[in-house]
Amino acid sequence: MEVSTEVDANPFGKYNISDWHFLESMDGRSSCPKCGKSRKYFCYTCYVPIKELEGKLPVLNLPIKVDIIKHAKEIDGKSTSAHAALLAPNDVSIYTFPCIPDYDDKSENIVLVFPGKNAISIEEFVSQQSAAKVGASKKRPYSSDKPIDRAIFIDSTWNQCKGIFKDSRLRDLPCVVLKQRITQFWRHQEGSPRWYLATVEAVHQLLVELDQAIKSHSADPESKKTKTEGEAKQKDDISHEFDDLLFFFKFMYEKIHTLYDHNQLKSYKRPLK
């Protein structure tokens, strides 16, 4: 089953992404201010913009820390993980496997975003955390602690990520899965369906789902009962404070689509399942 063309008609229409058109005036390449290598727009190994773009890009502060673990064979220039590190430099860290942290800090709620055997949804995980906190102290409001402090993503092909997942530093972490969302990534991955997101899309999706889950569990239970189903859907607004994570993703999507016909790109012909 191929994806309906309606999905791709206006893929970024529901997001509030800052205007990126000033990037089109950037000619040629510049030296990275850190490593000195020739780069266009930003350095995908140092995760900093070129000097001409310093102070001009959106910078986000995320409610959680994000660790991205890249497979050693993942090509830096083709990965979107650099987008997240560049646009949220205080909250996103990138590691190249096997050089990763030991995630044994019991003071943090850490999740691995991966479809493991016992993986659950973000909504279910937040619900479990909420119930645990209420049970521990009914006097303490849920919003006083984060249900998730740190989320870990694996940046690799599906076959490569299985080896990373088996690492002893990761395999015992609780796993969460994201809701299915159609990717707009232009890079084709043989055998993968359209809901396999690019890394920066996945980070954005997690933050949106986490925000919705927290708001849902923080709401007054009595006010929930009075809502009709239609009212609930109408008021279930998606947060847009994280949309600028897709700033470079949208820009590059538009550049690709000025060169190639969307319907001819193999990546967009992949089935939903």
Side-chain angles (χ1 to χ4, degrees):
M1 179 176 65
E2 292 194 355
V3 178
S4 169
T5 55
E6 294 181 5
V7 176
D8 299 317
N10 186 20
F12 301 99
K14 63 181 179 181
Y15 304 127
N16 294 336
I17 300 173
S18 297
D19 186 7
W20 47 263
H21 286 87
F22 66 91
L23 296 173
E24 295 179 331
S25 64
M26 305 295 298
D27 294 324
R29 301 168 72 88
S30 299
S31 297
C32 169
K34 282 192 173 183
C35 69
K37 293 182 180 179
S38 177
R39 297 291 190 244
K40 187 72 178 287
Y41 309 118
F42 62 89
C43 182
Y44 46 75
T45 52
C46 299
Y47 315 120
V48 295
I50 59 173
K51 188 173 182 180
E52 292 85 346
L53 290 181
E54 290 179 354
K56 296 182 180 180
L57 302 178
V59 177
L60 293 88
N61 293 312
L62 307 184
I64 64 173
K65 298 299 181 183
V66 171
D67 288 356
I68 299 173
I69 300 175
K70 292 178 58 179
H71 191 277
K73 292 184 179 180
E74 188 70 15
I75 301 173
D76 290 338
K78 293 185 177 181
S79 172
T80 64
S81 60
H83 300 185
L86 175 71
L87 298 168
N90 297 321
D91 300 306
V92 177
S93 300
I94 299 179
Y95 302 93
T96 301
F97 188 79
C99 299
I100 66 175
D102 289 316
Y103 294 105
D104 56 0
D105 186 354
K106 302 303 181 182
S107 67
E108 283 191 321
N109 287 324
I110 304 175
V111 297
L112 176 64
V113 184
F114 188 84
K117 181 179 179 181
N118 298 314
I120 60 177
S121 68
I122 303 297
E123 170 69 24
E124 188 176 353
F125 185 85
V126 171
S127 179
Q128 289 180 0
Q129 293 295 99
S130 176
K133 288 180 174 62
V134 170
S137 175
K138 293 185 178 180
K139 295 181 179 180
R140 183 173 58 184
Y142 172 75
S143 58
S144 64
D145 291 314
K146 296 179 183 178
I148 296 175
D149 296 292
R150 186 178 303 273
I152 304 167
F153 293 81
I154 298 176
D155 183 10
S156 70
T157 64
W158 176 245
N159 289 330
Q160 292 168 342
C161 73
K162 294 177 182 178
I164 297 177
F165 173 67
K166 292 178 181 178
D167 187 276
S168 60
R169 292 165 291 183
L170 299 176
R171 65 188 179 202
D172 293 329
L173 293 174
C175 290
V176 296
V177 289
L178 305 175
K179 296 177 182 177
Q180 289 190 7
R181 161 176 158 181
I182 299 302
T183 182
Q184 293 299 332
F185 197 25
W186 48 91
R187 184 182 175 190
H188 180 60
Q189 188 176 139
E190 193 69 36
S192 64
R194 272 280 315 261
W195 49 266
Y196 275 24
L197 301 177
T199 302
V200 75
E201 289 179 297
V203 174
H204 176 264
Q205 179 69 17
L206 169 74
L207 293 170
V208 169
E209 290 188 34
L210 179 60
D211 180 76
Q212 287 181 305
I214 290 175
K215 287 178 179 176
S216 174
H217 286 276
S218 299
D220 180 4
E222 292 302 318
S223 66
K224 290 182 180 180
K225 295 178 182 179
T226 60
K227 292 181 181 179
T228 64
E229 184 177 351
E231 289 174 334
K233 289 182 179 179
Q234 186 177 8
K235 293 183 180 181
D236 187 22
D237 295 328
I238 295 176
S239 172
H240 293 288
E241 61 181 300
F242 315 115
D243 287 356
D244 270 338
L245 279 175
L246 302 175
F247 177 81
F248 270 108
F249 187 86
K250 181 182 179 183
F251 166 63
M252 293 182 177
Y253 172 95
E254 298 293 348
K255 284 184 70 69
I256 291 290
H257 282 70
T258 61
L259 300 173
Y260 304 98
D261 181 354
H262 180 95
N263 294 322
Q264 298 303 314
L265 290 171
K266 291 175 66 177
S267 179
Y268 305 113
K269 293 183 177 182
R270 291 177 293 168
L272 284 172
K273 57 183 178 179

